[in-house]
């Protein structure tokens, strides 16, 4: 259990470049809600950038799928936290996720054509892998509310699907 | 020469027997799972996918025989035209898998 928790933290650290203090407390439900929502929103932003730059139909279709799915999931998340009267709470993990995504977008903005497509899709594979690792090992085990946990579990299945979808698109681009 | 009305009656009987045997098979999609995961059908049967999820899905045949889009909270159907054991998946979430075994 501790190993899993550490693995989850490590996954987030790799993604965000943030170092967690040893033995730091597990995230609370308001923080988990914020992290999950932020992760979805950042992927929507990445997809919007892709739609503005790419000319590849498979990449466009993938980006459209990401916007549609993450918008639907985040709407459900908002409905749930409203119902539970949980106020999502900003936290260092959400901040670090956002900073890493902003940096990535700046890096991708310098590319175009097939180079952009490959880099965007490769990042989508890596991003979903990391978020899935964090969901599995940290966020889902830490969630105390049953409905929040259930939403995160469905979210994990959806994002695992996205990861496979991104892997297929990446294979097509080669 | 067979009277025309007998032929018509025969055709109607045949059509009736076909429609009486063609079945509609329900597959529910809930939380990214096709259920039942595997169904048995015959050529001429209809599969109806009932998508309970907030996400759009597809039922896409691995052999590219068919590709059905199922909007969120919607149903979509397909008449099975070819026999075979067909593995299918969702294009948007390829971790969703199902199978239709279609008898001739």
């Amino acid at each position: 259990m501790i190993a899993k928790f550490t693995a989850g933290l490590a996954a987030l650290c790799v993604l965000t470049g943030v170092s967690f203090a040893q033995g730091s407390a597990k995230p609370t439900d308001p923080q988990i809600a914020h992290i999950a929502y932020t992760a979805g929103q950042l992927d929507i932003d990445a997809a919007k950038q892709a739609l503005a730059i790419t000319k590849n139909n498979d990449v466009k279709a993938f980006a459209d799928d990401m916007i549609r799915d993450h918008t639907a999931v985040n709407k459900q998340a908002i409905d749930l936290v409203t119902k539970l009267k949980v106020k999502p709470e900003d936290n260092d993990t959400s901040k670090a996720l956002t900073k890493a995504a902003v940096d990535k977008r700046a890096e991708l903005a310098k590319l175009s054509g097939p180079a952009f497509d490959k880099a965007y899709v490769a990042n989508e594979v890596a991003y979903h892998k990391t978020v899935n690792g964090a969901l599995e090992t940290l966020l889902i085990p830490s969630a105390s509310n049953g409905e929040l946990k259930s939403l995160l579990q469905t979210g994990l299945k959806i994002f695992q699907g996205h990861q496979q979808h991104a892997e297929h698109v990446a294979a097509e681009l080669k | 020469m067979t009277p025309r009305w007998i032929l018509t009656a025969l055709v109607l009987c045949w059509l009736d027997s076909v429609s009486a045997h063609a079945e509609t098979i329900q597959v529910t999609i809930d939380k990214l799972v096709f259920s039942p995961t595997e169904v048995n059908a015959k050529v001429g049967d209809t599969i109806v996918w009932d998508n309970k999820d907030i996400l759009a899905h597809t039922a896409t045949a691995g052999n590219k025989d068919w590709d059905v889009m199922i909007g969120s909270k919607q149903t979509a159907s397909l008449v099975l035209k070819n026999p075979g054991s067909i593995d299918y998946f969702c294009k948007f979430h390829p971790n969703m898998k199902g199978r239709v075994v279609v008898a001739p």
Side-chain angles (χ1 to χ4, degrees):
Chain A
M1 200 65 204
I2 289 170
K4 270 197 162 182
F5 179 65
T6 312
L9 282 177
L12 277 176
C13 291
V14 168
L15 177 75
T16 60
V18 164
S19 57
F20 286 79
Q22 277 283 325
S24 66
K26 65 179 190 174
T28 62
D29 281 3
Q31 289 170 338
I32 291 167
H34 197 281
I35 294 166
Y37 185 90
T38 302
Q41 190 55 46
L42 293 173
D43 203 44
I44 292 172
D45 295 343
K48 285 181 180 165
Q49 181 190 39
L51 288 175
I53 294 177
T54 190
K55 294 189 165 46
N56 181 296
N57 285 337
D58 290 339
V59 174
K60 273 185 200 167
F62 177 82
D64 280 334
D65 295 343
M66 291 307 105
I67 292 175
R68 194 185 58 235
D69 274 14
H70 285 290
T71 302
V73 174
N74 270 2
K75 186 188 172 301
Q76 207 179 33
I78 292 283
D79 290 349
L80 179 64
V81 295
T82 306
K83 183 187 135 189
L84 297 176
K85 298 191 170 61
V86 168
K87 192 173 179 297
E89 182 188 307
D90 200 1
N91 57 83
D92 287 348
T93 305
S94 291
K95 287 192 179 94
L97 270 173
T98 305
K99 186 184 179 310
V102 168
D103 291 350
K104 191 55 155 178
R105 276 206 298 282
E107 190 187 315
L108 291 174
K110 293 174 193 152
L111 303 173
S112 61
F116 171 85
D117 295 339
K118 277 186 190 170
Y120 164 67
V121 176
N123 187 54
E124 284 298 291
V125 173
Y127 182 76
H128 280 94
K129 204 179 272 183
T130 309
V131 171
N132 289 339
L135 275 166
E136 258 177 309
T137 57
L138 178 64
L139 303 179
I140 291 171
S142 302
S144 50
N145 179 278
E147 286 183 83
L148 177 63
K149 199 186 272 277
S150 165
L151 180 64
L152 294 170
Q153 280 162 340
T154 306
L156 174 61
K157 269 200 254 176
I158 295 167
F159 305 157
Q160 284 170 337
H162 291 171
Q163 186 188 323
Q164 285 190 20
H165 189 180
E167 283 164 355
H168 289 188
V169 178
E172 296 282 316
L173 289 175
K174 275 178 185 154
Chain B
M1 179 139 179
T2 318
R4 209 185 177 89
W5 68 269
I6 293 183
L7 280 179
T8 309
L10 281 172
V11 167
L12 282 175
C13 279
W14 178 76
L15 281 177
D16 189 53
S17 71
V18 167
S19 65
H21 286 98
E23 286 175 33
T24 299
I25 297 155
Q26 286 272 340
V27 176
T28 302
I29 303 171
D30 191 18
K31 295 191 168 71
L32 292 95
V33 175
F34 292 113
S35 154
T37 307
E38 181 170 330
V39 292
N40 290 297
K42 294 185 302 297
V43 169
D45 286 354
T46 301
I47 298 207
V48 176
W49 284 276
D50 185 0
N51 182 7
K52 308 277 189 201
D53 281 347
I54 55 161
L55 311 167
H57 294 301
T58 71
T60 304
N63 66 2
K64 301 190 183 303
D65 207 11
W66 33 265
D67 188 7
V68 182
M69 173 86 176
I70 316 139
S72 67
K73 308 278 180 193
Q74 286 178 18
T75 61
S77 64
L78 168 80
V79 178
L80 298 164
K81 291 185 176 136
N82 299 313
S85 175
I86 299 142
D87 289 312
Y88 69 92
F89 61 98
C90 168
K91 274 194 298 197
F92 306 142
H93 315 97
N95 50 342
M96 295 172 61
K97 293 184 171 86
R99 178 180 294 156
V100 186
V101 180
V102 190

